[in-house]
Amino acid sequence: MELVVTPSAEHLDVDARHLVSHPQNGTRQFPDSEVYVQLGDFDDVEEVLLVHSGQPDPNRGLAFLYGALAALAERECSLSVLFPYVPYGRQDKAFYEGTVNYVRSIFRVLTEHYGVERIYAIDPHFSHREWVREVPLEVLRAFPLVEQQVEMDDYVVVGPDLGAVERFGVAGFEKERASAVEVELSGELAVAGQNVLVFDDLVATGTTMVEAFHRLKEQGAETVQAAAVHGVLPEGIQRVGDTYDALYLTNTIASDAATVRVEPLIRRVVAGGGAPSTTDEK
């Protein structure tokens, strides 16, 4: 299996081919901001795993993703895609009249138009949705990698809200959201006198994680540390890092705050052996 990474996944420490620059201007973007996509020497390759992260700059990233898939499809090789972070993963249903389940639409383009045979995703936000059963998707779990670095002898794992309950099967608070930066959490968790690790799939604004910290402290938790797979917004990452006793964040998205590396999950897929932390959500 040949590994290819798009520009948004070049921060990952894996042995992979990169898209090459334009031979005249030495960049992968034209002055009008359109992207330039070119594969390097790519003869006699039968199977390709394309790695693409949906942040930062998800719109520009999709242009690179679709361009790379189009170029690879012309070579008639077997195609799979691995998303450390899935673009538009939080737009996972039609929330209002006239909106679209954007990530489902992207997956349909991958499988029906470009002929992608298998999709891998590290802890996608939508893994609990019913429509996922229609997708040739394998979910890769990052939490075992996080646990290897947690610096607490004994701790209880909770989620900040019921979304984490659905995704990871841990206890969590009920949440009412007034806006993107205003939430209210309710409920009681058995954390009095306990060291607590708050685990969630992503940090965007950080509002829910920060509120969870205060609720846990009010309920008698001792040390309260945070862990998240995807660090979406730098300002949210900083809010959580400044609030909690420690923050464990993976490098699915390039971030200076990332301390947990997900490359072992990618290498196991390339090797064809899967991983103990990998489960099929179908």
Side-chain angles (χ1 to χ4, degrees):
M1 177 183 287
E2 190 76 27
L3 191 63
V4 180
V5 295
T6 65
S8 64
E10 290 178 343
H11 67 287
L12 296 166
D13 184 17
V14 291
D15 184 13
R17 295 174 182 261
H18 295 196
L19 302 181
V20 301
S21 299
H22 192 284
Q24 292 181 332
N25 61 27
T27 70
R28 292 177 297 198
Q29 183 169 307
F30 292 106
D32 62 359
S33 296
E34 290 183 355
V35 305
Y36 174 79
V37 177
Q38 181 183 349
L39 299 175
D41 182 19
F42 222 82
D43 296 327
D44 300 323
V45 175
E46 297 182 357
E47 187 177 7
V48 173
L49 178 66
L50 180 65
V51 181
H52 173 76
S53 185
Q55 288 282 353
D57 201 344
N59 301 324
R60 179 172 177 266
L62 278 181
F64 276 115
L65 174 65
Y66 289 157
L69 285 171
L72 289 166
E74 291 182 359
R75 284 157 172 77
E76 299 182 351
C77 54
S78 173
L79 280 175
S80 298
V81 174
L82 190 153
F83 292 107
Y85 177 72
V86 181
Y88 288 84
R90 289 191 289 167
Q91 295 190 51
D92 56 2
K93 71 176 184 176
F95 290 94
Y96 304 103
E97 183 67 28
T99 61
V100 65
N101 183 333
Y102 216 128
V103 68
R104 187 181 188 183
S105 176
I106 289 172
F107 282 179
R108 283 176 171 167
V109 171
L110 265 59
T111 57
E112 297 175 13
H113 182 72
Y114 292 113
V116 171
E117 299 174 10
R118 193 69 175 163
I119 300 171
Y120 302 89
I122 299 177
D123 288 306
H125 189 70
F126 50 81
S127 61
H128 61 295
R129 300 290 190 194
E130 283 297 319
W131 62 263
V132 172
R133 298 179 182 275
E134 305 169 7
V135 180
L137 175 70
E138 186 167 330
V139 174
L140 310 177
R141 297 299 188 190
F143 186 66
L145 302 177
V146 173
E147 279 199 304
Q148 293 173 12
Q149 297 195 23
V150 176
E151 296 182 356
M152 290 189 289
D153 292 332
D154 296 302
Y155 57 93
V156 59
V157 181
V158 305
D161 57 23
L162 295 183
V165 174
E166 289 184 290
R167 294 181 192 93
F168 308 116
V170 296
F173 295 109
E174 295 187 14
K175 178 171 72 174
E176 291 187 11
R177 181 180 290 278
S179 68
V181 294
E182 186 178 356
V183 301
E184 182 175 341
L185 301 181
S186 60
E188 299 291 325
L189 302 182
V191 297
Q194 299 282 335
N195 293 321
V196 179
L197 179 69
V198 182
F199 180 65
D200 206 0
D201 64 321
L202 61 85
V203 174
T205 64
T207 300
T208 302
M209 290 286 278
V210 169
E211 289 302 310
F213 174 86
H214 294 308
R215 288 286 298 174
L216 290 164
K217 281 295 190 179
E218 289 171 1
Q219 294 177 15
E222 294 291 335
T223 300
V224 182
Q225 300 186 359
V229 183
H230 313 294
V232 179
L233 297 177
E235 56 269 30
I237 296 170
Q238 181 163 350
R239 285 187 69 195
V240 173
D242 290 346
T243 302
Y244 279 76
D245 296 313
L247 170 61
Y248 305 94
L249 181 69
T250 83
N251 65 330
T252 60
I253 301 168
S255 171
D256 291 339
T259 58
V260 181
R261 306 201 68 87
V262 297
E263 286 89 346
L265 298 179
I266 300 172
R267 294 189 186 104
R268 288 168 187 157
V269 171
V270 173
S277 55
T278 300
T279 58
D280 196 332
E281 292 289 321
K282 289 187 65 184

